[in-house]
Each structure stands twice: as structure tokens, then as C-alpha cells.
Amino acid sequence: MSEHHATDATIGTPVTRVEILDALDDVFDGGALSKYDLVDAAIAASARPGVLELLRTLPEDQRLRQRADLWEHLPDVPVGA
């Protein structure tokens, strides 16, 4: 299993699960989403670059149906700072 970590180079703070969920807000209320849907939602929420970087590592061929699906692909992202 590969490790996924992202740190915003400008402030040196690791991305957390809480931050990812804050950026995605209620996006999962609309059904299954591709990684591109998630990246677009994070951009619209003005997520910092580290969040976008992590979301771009999600698999191309899978659609995520709920928030918990994120952690199957990003298991090493810490919950909080």
C-alpha cells in the first residue's frame, strides 16, 4: 500500500482528513463521484494546493460514493493536525 501525504510547501502544514472533508463539504450528497468531480469541488471551495494534490492521486477508474471511500485510497492522511 502506498503512502499519500501532502504538505503545503508555503506553510509546511500537512493536509488532514478534516481539511479534505471541509473542502468537499456536502459534495457526496449527490451520488458517486470521480476524482475529477472531487478536485473540481475542492477548487470551488478554495482548498489549498496540498488538498488538490492528494485528491489527484485518487484512482482514475473508480467513483466514490461516500466520504469513507476516500480513506480506502488515502489511508495515511492524518485525521487532524
Coordinates of all heavy atoms in Angstrom, one line a residue:
M1 N 0.8 -1.2 0.0 CA 0.0 0.0 0.0 C 0.9 1.2 0.0 O 1.8 1.3 0.8 CB -0.9 0.0 1.2 CG -1.9 1.1 1.2 SD -3.0 1.0 2.7 CE -3.7 -0.6 2.6
S2 N 0.7 2.2 -0.9 CA 1.5 3.3 -1.0 C 1.0 4.4 0.0 O -0.1 4.4 0.4 CB 1.5 3.9 -2.4 OG 0.2 4.3 -2.7
E3 N 1.9 5.2 0.4 CA 1.6 6.3 1.3 C 1.3 7.6 0.6 O 1.9 7.9 -0.4 CB 2.8 6.6 2.3 CG 3.0 5.4 3.2 CD 4.1 5.8 4.3 OE1 4.2 7.0 4.6 OE2 4.8 4.9 4.7
H4 N 0.3 8.3 1.0 CA -0.1 9.5 0.4 C -0.1 10.6 1.5 O -0.8 10.6 2.4 CB -1.6 9.5 -0.2 CG -1.7 8.5 -1.3 ND1 -2.0 7.2 -1.2 CD2 -1.5 8.7 -2.6 CE1 -2.1 6.7 -2.4 NE2 -1.7 7.6 -3.3
H5 N 0.9 11.5 1.3 CA 1.0 12.6 2.2 C 1.1 13.9 1.3 O 1.7 13.9 0.3 CB 2.3 12.5 3.0 CG 2.3 11.3 3.9 ND1 1.6 11.3 5.1 CD2 2.9 10.2 3.8 CE1 1.8 10.1 5.7 NE2 2.6 9.4 4.9
A6 N 0.6 14.9 1.8 CA 0.8 16.2 1.1 C 0.9 17.3 2.1 O 0.3 17.3 3.2 CB -0.4 16.5 0.2
T7 N 1.9 18.2 1.8 CA 2.1 19.3 2.7 C 2.1 20.5 1.9 O 2.7 20.5 0.8 CB 3.5 19.1 3.4 OG1 3.5 17.9 4.1 CG2 3.8 20.3 4.3
D8 N 1.5 21.5 2.3 CA 1.5 22.8 1.6 C 2.9 23.4 1.8 O 3.3 23.8 2.9 CB 0.4 23.7 2.1 CG 0.2 24.9 1.2 OD1 1.2 25.5 0.8 OD2 -0.9 25.3 0.9
A9 N 3.6 23.5 0.7 CA 5.0 24.0 0.7 C 5.1 25.4 1.3 O 6.1 25.7 1.9 CB 5.6 23.9 -0.6
T10 N 4.1 26.2 1.1 CA 4.2 27.6 1.6 C 4.1 27.7 3.1 O 4.6 28.6 3.7 CB 3.1 28.5 0.9 OG1 1.8 28.0 1.3 CG2 3.3 28.5 -0.6
I11 N 3.4 26.8 3.7 CA 3.2 26.9 5.2 C 3.7 25.6 5.9 O 3.7 25.6 7.2 CB 1.8 27.2 5.6 CG1 0.8 26.2 5.0 CG2 1.4 28.6 5.1 CD1 -0.6 26.4 5.5
G12 N 4.0 24.6 5.2 CA 4.6 23.4 5.8 C 3.6 22.6 6.7 O 4.0 21.8 7.5
T13 N 2.3 22.8 6.5 CA 1.3 22.1 7.3 C 0.8 20.9 6.5 O 0.3 21.1 5.4 CB 0.2 23.1 7.6 OG1 0.7 24.2 8.3 CG2 -0.8 22.4 8.5
P14 N 0.8 19.7 7.1 CA 0.3 18.5 6.4 C -1.3 18.7 6.2 O -2.0 19.2 7.0 CB 0.5 17.4 7.4 CG 1.4 17.9 8.4 CD 1.3 19.4 8.4
V15 N -1.7 18.1 5.1 CA -3.1 18.0 4.9 C -3.7 17.0 5.8 O -3.2 15.9 6.0 CB -3.4 17.7 3.4 CG1 -4.9 17.4 3.1 CG2 -2.8 18.8 2.5
T16 N -4.9 17.3 6.3 CA -5.6 16.3 7.2 C -6.9 15.9 6.6 O -7.5 16.5 5.7 CB -5.9 17.0 8.6 OG1 -6.8 18.0 8.4 CG2 -4.6 17.5 9.2
R17 N -7.5 14.8 7.2 CA -8.8 14.4 6.7 C -9.9 15.4 7.0 O -10.8 15.6 6.2 CB -9.2 13.1 7.5 CG -8.3 11.9 7.1 CD -8.7 10.6 7.8 NE -7.8 9.6 7.4 CZ -8.1 8.3 7.5 NH1 -9.3 7.9 7.9 NH2 -7.3 7.4 7.1
V18 N -9.8 16.1 8.1 CA -10.7 17.2 8.4 C -10.7 18.2 7.4 O -11.7 18.7 6.9 CB -10.4 17.8 9.8 CG1 -11.2 19.0 10.1 CG2 -10.6 16.7 10.9
E19 N -9.5 18.6 6.9 CA -9.4 19.6 5.9 C -10.0 19.2 4.6 O -10.6 20.0 3.9 CB -7.9 20.0 5.7 CG -7.7 21.1 4.8 CD -6.2 21.5 4.6 OE1 -5.3 20.8 5.1 OE2 -6.0 22.6 4.0
I20 N -9.7 17.9 4.2 CA -10.3 17.4 3.0 C -11.8 17.4 3.0 O -12.5 17.9 2.1 CB -9.7 16.0 2.7 CG1 -8.2 16.0 2.4 CG2 -10.5 15.3 1.6 CD1 -7.6 14.7 2.3
L21 N -12.3 17.0 4.1 CA -13.8 17.0 4.3 C -14.4 18.4 4.3 O -15.5 18.6 3.7 CB -14.2 16.2 5.5 CG -13.9 14.7 5.5 CD1 -14.3 14.0 6.8 CD2 -14.7 14.0 4.3
D22 N -13.7 19.3 4.9 CA -14.1 20.7 4.9 C -14.2 21.2 3.4 O -15.1 21.9 3.1 CB -13.2 21.6 5.7 CG -13.4 21.5 7.2 OD1 -14.4 20.9 7.6 OD2 -12.5 21.9 8.0
A23 N -13.2 20.9 2.6 CA -13.2 21.3 1.2 C -14.2 20.7 0.4 O -14.8 21.3 -0.5 CB -11.8 21.0 0.6
L24 N -14.6 19.5 0.7 CA -15.6 18.7 -0.1 C -17.0 19.0 0.4 O -18.0 18.7 -0.3 CB -15.2 17.2 -0.1 CG -13.9 16.9 -0.8 CD1 -13.7 15.4 -0.8 CD2 -13.9 17.5 -2.2
D25 N -17.1 19.4 1.6 CA -18.4 19.8 2.2 C -19.5 18.7 2.0 O -19.4 17.6 2.4 CB -18.8 21.2 1.8 CG -19.9 21.8 2.6 OD1 -20.0 21.5 3.8 OD2 -20.6 22.7 2.1
D26 N -20.5 19.1 1.3 CA -21.7 18.2 1.0 C -21.6 17.5 -0.4 O -22.7 17.1 -0.8 CB -23.0 18.9 1.3 CG -23.2 19.3 2.7 OD1 -22.7 18.6 3.6 OD2 -23.8 20.4 2.9
V27 N -20.5 17.5 -1.0 CA -20.4 17.0 -2.4 C -20.9 15.6 -2.5 O -21.4 15.2 -3.6 CB -19.0 17.2 -2.9 CG1 -18.0 16.2 -2.3 CG2 -19.0 17.1 -4.4
F28 N -20.8 14.8 -1.5 CA -21.2 13.4 -1.6 C -22.7 13.2 -1.5 O -23.2 12.1 -1.8 CB -20.5 12.5 -0.5 CG -19.1 12.2 -0.9 CD1 -18.1 13.0 -0.3 CD2 -18.7 11.2 -1.7 CE1 -16.7 12.7 -0.5 CE2 -17.4 11.0 -2.0 CZ -16.4 11.7 -1.4
D29 N -23.4 14.2 -1.3 CA -24.9 14.1 -1.2 C -25.5 13.9 -2.6 O -26.7 13.5 -2.7 CB -25.5 15.4 -0.6 CG -25.1 15.6 0.9 OD1 -24.6 14.6 1.5 OD2 -25.3 16.7 1.4
G30 N -24.8 14.1 -3.6 CA -25.3 14.0 -5.0 C -25.0 12.6 -5.7 O -25.4 12.5 -6.8
G31 N -24.4 11.7 -5.0 CA -24.1 10.4 -5.6 C -22.7 10.1 -5.8 O -21.8 10.8 -5.3
A32 N -22.4 9.1 -6.6 CA -21.0 8.7 -6.9 C -20.2 9.7 -7.6 O -20.7 10.4 -8.6 CB -21.0 7.4 -7.6
L33 N -18.9 9.9 -7.3 CA -18.1 11.0 -7.8 C -16.8 10.5 -8.3 O -16.2 9.6 -7.7 CB -17.9 12.1 -6.8 CG -19.1 12.7 -6.2 CD1 -18.8 13.4 -4.9 CD2 -19.7 13.7 -7.2
S34 N -16.3 11.0 -9.4 CA -14.9 10.7 -9.9 C -13.9 11.6 -9.1 O -14.3 12.6 -8.5 CB -14.8 11.0 -11.4 OG -14.8 12.4 -11.6
K35 N -12.7 11.3 -9.3 CA -11.6 12.1 -8.7 C -11.7 13.5 -9.3 O -11.4 14.5 -8.6 CB -10.3 11.5 -8.8 CG -9.6 11.7 -10.1 CD -8.2 11.1 -10.0 CE -7.3 11.6 -11.1 NZ -5.9 11.0 -11.0
Y36 N -12.1 13.6 -10.5 CA -12.2 15.0 -11.1 C -13.3 15.8 -10.5 O -13.2 17.0 -10.4 CB -12.4 14.8 -12.7 CG -11.2 14.0 -13.3 CD1 -11.4 12.7 -13.7 CD2 -9.9 14.6 -13.4 CE1 -10.3 12.0 -14.2 CE2 -8.9 13.9 -13.9 CZ -9.1 12.6 -14.3 OH -8.0 11.9 -14.8
D37 N -14.4 15.1 -10.2 CA -15.5 15.8 -9.5 C -15.0 16.3 -8.2 O -15.4 17.5 -7.8 CB -16.7 14.9 -9.3 CG -17.3 14.3 -10.5 OD1 -17.4 15.1 -11.5 OD2 -17.8 13.2 -10.5
L38 N -14.3 15.5 -7.5 CA -13.8 15.9 -6.1 C -12.8 17.1 -6.2 O -12.8 18.0 -5.4 CB -13.1 14.7 -5.4 CG -14.1 13.5 -5.1 CD1 -13.3 12.4 -4.6 CD2 -15.2 14.0 -4.2
V39 N -11.9 17.0 -7.2 CA -10.9 18.1 -7.4 C -11.7 19.4 -7.8 O -11.4 20.4 -7.2 CB -9.9 17.7 -8.5 CG1 -9.0 18.9 -8.9 CG2 -9.0 16.6 -8.0
D40 N -12.6 19.3 -8.7 CA -13.4 20.5 -9.0 C -14.1 21.1 -7.8 O -14.1 22.3 -7.6 CB -14.4 20.1 -10.1 CG -13.8 19.9 -11.5 OD1 -12.6 20.2 -11.7 OD2 -14.5 19.4 -12.3
A41 N -14.7 20.2 -7.0 CA -15.4 20.7 -5.7 C -14.4 21.4 -4.8 O -14.7 22.4 -4.2 CB -16.1 19.6 -5.0
A42 N -13.2 20.8 -4.7 CA -12.2 21.4 -3.8 C -11.7 22.7 -4.3 O -11.4 23.7 -3.6 CB -11.0 20.4 -3.6
I43 N -11.5 22.8 -5.7 CA -11.1 24.1 -6.3 C -12.2 25.1 -6.0 O -11.9 26.3 -5.6 CB -10.9 23.9 -7.8 CG1 -9.6 23.1 -8.0 CG2 -10.8 25.3 -8.5 CD1 -9.4 22.6 -9.4
A44 N -13.4 24.8 -6.2 CA -14.5 25.7 -5.9 C -14.6 26.2 -4.5 O -15.0 27.3 -4.2 CB -15.9 25.1 -6.3
A45 N -14.1 25.3 -3.6 CA -14.1 25.7 -2.1 C -12.8 26.4 -1.7 O -12.5 26.6 -0.6 CB -14.2 24.4 -1.3
S46 N -11.9 26.7 -2.7 CA -10.7 27.3 -2.5 C -9.7 26.5 -1.6 O -9.0 27.1 -0.7 CB -10.9 28.7 -1.9 OG -11.6 29.5 -2.8
A47 N -9.7 25.2 -1.8 CA -8.8 24.4 -1.0 C -7.4 24.7 -1.4 O -7.1 25.1 -2.5 CB -9.1 22.9 -1.3
R48 N -6.5 24.5 -0.4 CA -5.1 24.8 -0.7 C -4.5 23.7 -1.6 O -5.0 22.6 -1.7 CB -4.3 25.0 0.6 CG -4.2 23.8 1.5 CD -3.6 24.2 2.8 NE -3.6 23.2 3.8 CZ -2.5 22.5 4.2 NH1 -1.3 22.8 3.8 NH2 -2.7 21.5 5.1
P49 N -3.4 24.0 -2.2 CA -2.8 23.1 -3.2 C -2.5 21.7 -2.6 O -2.6 20.7 -3.4 CB -1.4 23.8 -3.5 CG -1.7 25.3 -3.3 CD -2.6 25.3 -2.1
G50 N -2.2 21.5 -1.4 CA -1.9 20.2 -0.9 C -3.1 19.3 -0.9 O -3.0 18.1 -1.2
V51 N -4.3 19.9 -0.7 CA -5.5 19.1 -0.8 C -5.8 18.7 -2.2 O -6.1 17.5 -2.5 CB -6.7 19.9 -0.3 CG1 -8.1 19.2 -0.5 CG2 -6.6 20.2 1.2
L52 N -5.6 19.6 -3.1 CA -5.8 19.2 -4.6 C -4.8 18.2 -5.0 O -5.1 17.2 -5.7 CB -5.6 20.5 -5.4 CG -6.5 21.6 -5.1 CD1 -6.2 22.9 -6.0 CD2 -8.0 21.2 -5.2
E53 N -3.5 18.3 -4.5 CA -2.5 17.3 -4.9 C -2.9 15.9 -4.4 O -2.8 14.9 -5.1 CB -1.2 17.7 -4.2 CG -0.1 16.7 -4.4 CD 1.2 17.2 -3.6 OE1 1.4 18.4 -3.4 OE2 1.9 16.3 -3.2
L54 N -3.4 15.8 -3.2 CA -3.9 14.5 -2.7 C -5.1 13.9 -3.4 O -5.1 12.8 -3.8 CB -4.3 14.6 -1.2 CG -3.2 14.3 -0.2 CD1 -3.7 14.5 1.2 CD2 -2.6 12.9 -0.3
L55 N -6.0 14.8 -3.7 CA -7.2 14.3 -4.4 C -6.8 13.8 -5.8 O -7.4 12.9 -6.4 CB -8.3 15.4 -4.5 CG -8.9 15.8 -3.2 CD1 -9.8 17.0 -3.3 CD2 -9.6 14.6 -2.5
R56 N -5.8 14.4 -6.4 CA -5.4 14.0 -7.8 C -4.7 12.6 -7.8 O -4.5 12.0 -8.8 CB -4.5 15.1 -8.4 CG -5.2 16.3 -8.7 CD -4.3 17.4 -9.4 NE -5.1 18.5 -9.8 CZ -4.9 19.8 -9.3 NH1 -3.8 20.0 -8.6 NH2 -5.6 20.8 -9.7
T57 N -4.4 12.1 -6.6 CA -3.8 10.8 -6.5 C -4.8 9.7 -6.5 O -4.4 8.5 -6.5 CB -2.8 10.6 -5.3 OG1 -3.6 10.6 -4.1 CG2 -1.8 11.7 -5.2
L58 N -6.1 10.0 -6.4 CA -7.1 9.0 -6.3 C -7.2 8.3 -7.7 O -6.8 8.8 -8.7 CB -8.5 9.7 -6.0 CG -8.6 10.3 -4.7 CD1 -9.9 11.1 -4.6 CD2 -8.6 9.2 -3.6
P59 N -7.6 7.0 -7.7 CA -7.7 6.2 -8.9 C -8.6 6.8 -10.0 O -9.6 7.4 -9.7 CB -8.3 4.9 -8.4 CG -8.2 4.9 -7.0 CD -8.1 6.3 -6.5
E60 N -8.1 6.7 -11.2 CA -8.8 7.2 -12.3 C -10.2 6.5 -12.6 O -11.1 7.1 -13.0 CB -8.0 7.1 -13.6 CG -6.7 7.8 -13.6 CD -6.9 9.2 -14.1 OE1 -7.8 9.5 -14.9 OE2 -6.0 10.0 -13.8
D61 N -10.2 5.2 -12.3 CA -11.3 4.4 -12.8 C -12.3 4.1 -11.7 O -13.2 3.2 -11.9 CB -10.7 3.1 -13.3 CG -9.9 2.3 -12.2 OD1 -9.6 2.9 -11.2 OD2 -9.7 1.1 -12.5
Q62 N -12.3 4.8 -10.6 CA -13.2 4.5 -9.5 C -14.1 5.7 -9.2 O -13.6 6.8 -9.3 CB -12.5 4.0 -8.3 CG -11.9 2.6 -8.5 CD -11.4 2.1 -7.1 OE1 -11.6 2.7 -6.1 NE2 -10.9 0.9 -7.2
R63 N -15.3 5.4 -8.8 CA -16.2 6.5 -8.4 C -16.5 6.3 -6.9 O -16.7 5.2 -6.5 CB -17.5 6.5 -9.2 CG -17.2 6.8 -10.7 CD -18.4 6.9 -11.6 NE -19.2 8.0 -11.3 CZ -19.0 9.3 -11.7 NH1 -18.0 9.6 -12.4 NH2 -19.9 10.2 -11.5
L64 N -16.4 7.3 -6.2 CA -16.5 7.3 -4.7 C -18.0 7.6 -4.4 O -18.5 8.6 -4.8 CB -15.5 8.2 -4.0 CG -14.1 7.9 -4.4 CD1 -13.2 8.9 -3.8 CD2 -13.6 6.5 -4.1
R65 N -18.6 6.8 -3.5 CA -20.0 7.1 -3.2 C -20.2 7.7 -1.8 O -21.2 8.3 -1.6 CB -20.7 5.7 -3.2 CG -20.7 5.0 -4.5 CD -21.6 3.8 -4.5 NE -21.5 3.1 -5.8 CZ -22.0 3.5 -6.9 NH1 -22.7 4.6 -6.9 NH2 -21.9 2.9 -8.0
Q66 N -19.2 7.7 -1.0 CA -19.3 8.3 0.4 C -18.0 8.7 0.9 O -16.9 8.3 0.4 CB -19.9 7.3 1.3 CG -19.2 6.0 1.4 CD -19.9 4.9 2.3 OE1 -20.9 5.2 2.8 NE2 -19.4 3.7 2.3
R67 N -18.0 9.5 1.9 CA -16.7 10.1 2.4 C -15.8 9.0 2.9 O -14.6 9.1 2.6 CB -17.1 11.0 3.6 CG -17.8 12.3 3.2 CD -18.4 13.0 4.4 NE -19.2 14.1 4.0 CZ -20.4 14.1 3.6 NH1 -21.1 12.9 3.6 NH2 -21.1 15.2 3.3
A68 N -16.3 8.0 3.5 CA -15.4 6.9 3.9 C -14.6 6.2 2.8 O -13.5 5.7 3.1 CB -16.2 5.8 4.7
D69 N -15.1 6.3 1.6 CA -14.4 5.7 0.5 C -13.0 6.4 0.2 O -12.1 5.8 -0.3 CB -15.2 5.8 -0.8 CG -16.4 4.9 -0.8 OD1 -16.5 4.0 0.0 OD2 -17.3 5.2 -1.6
L70 N -12.9 7.7 0.6 CA -11.7 8.4 0.5 C -10.5 7.7 1.2 O -9.4 7.7 0.7 CB -11.8 9.8 1.0 CG -12.6 10.8 0.1 CD1 -13.0 12.0 0.9 CD2 -11.9 11.2 -1.1
W71 N -10.8 7.3 2.4 CA -9.8 6.8 3.3 C -9.3 5.4 2.9 O -8.2 5.0 3.2 CB -10.2 6.8 4.7 CG -11.0 8.1 5.1 CD1 -12.1 8.2 5.7 CD2 -10.6 9.4 4.7 NE1 -12.5 9.5 5.8 CE2 -11.6 10.3 5.1 CE3 -9.5 9.9 4.0 CZ2 -11.6 11.6 4.9 CZ3 -9.5 11.3 3.8 CH2 -10.5 12.2 4.2
E72 N -10.0 4.7 2.0 CA -9.5 3.4 1.4 C -8.3 3.8 0.5 O -7.4 2.9 0.4 CB -10.6 2.7 0.6 CG -11.7 2.2 1.5 CD -12.8 1.5 0.7 OE1 -12.6 1.1 -0.4 OE2 -14.0 1.5 1.2
H73 N -8.4 4.9 -0.1 CA -7.3 5.3 -1.1 C -6.3 6.3 -0.4 O -5.2 6.4 -1.0 CB -8.0 6.0 -2.3 CG -9.0 5.1 -2.9 ND1 -8.6 4.0 -3.7 CD2 -10.3 5.1 -3.0 CE1 -9.7 3.4 -4.1 NE2 -10.7 4.1 -3.7
L74 N -6.6 6.9 0.7 CA -5.8 7.8 1.4 C -5.6 7.4 2.8 O -5.9 8.2 3.7 CB -6.3 9.2 1.2 CG -6.6 9.8 -0.2 CD1 -7.3 11.1 -0.1 CD2 -5.3 9.9 -0.9
P75 N -5.2 6.2 3.1 CA -5.2 5.7 4.5 C -4.2 6.4 5.4 O -4.4 6.4 6.6 CB -4.9 4.2 4.4 CG -4.1 4.2 3.1 CD -4.7 5.2 2.2
D76 N -3.2 7.0 4.9 CA -2.1 7.6 5.7 C -2.3 9.0 6.0 O -1.5 9.7 6.6 CB -0.8 7.3 5.0 CG -0.5 5.9 4.8 OD1 -0.7 5.1 5.8 OD2 -0.1 5.5 3.7
V77 N -3.4 9.6 5.5 CA -3.7 11.0 5.8 C -4.2 11.1 7.2 O -5.1 10.4 7.6 CB -4.8 11.6 4.8 CG1 -5.1 13.0 5.2 CG2 -4.3 11.5 3.4
P78 N -3.5 12.0 8.0 CA -3.9 12.1 9.4 C -5.3 12.7 9.6 O -5.7 13.5 8.8 CB -2.8 13.0 10.0 CG -2.3 13.7 8.9 CD -2.4 12.9 7.7
V79 N -5.9 12.4 10.7 CA -7.3 12.9 11.0 C -7.2 14.4 11.2 O -7.9 15.2 10.6 CB -7.9 12.2 12.2 CG1 -9.2 12.9 12.5 CG2 -8.2 10.7 11.8
G80 N -6.3 14.8 12.1 CA -6.2 16.2 12.4 C -4.7 16.6 12.6 O -3.9 15.7 12.6
A81 N -4.5 17.9 12.8 CA -3.1 18.4 12.9 C -2.6 18.1 14.3 O -3.3 18.0 15.3 CB -3.0 19.8 12.6

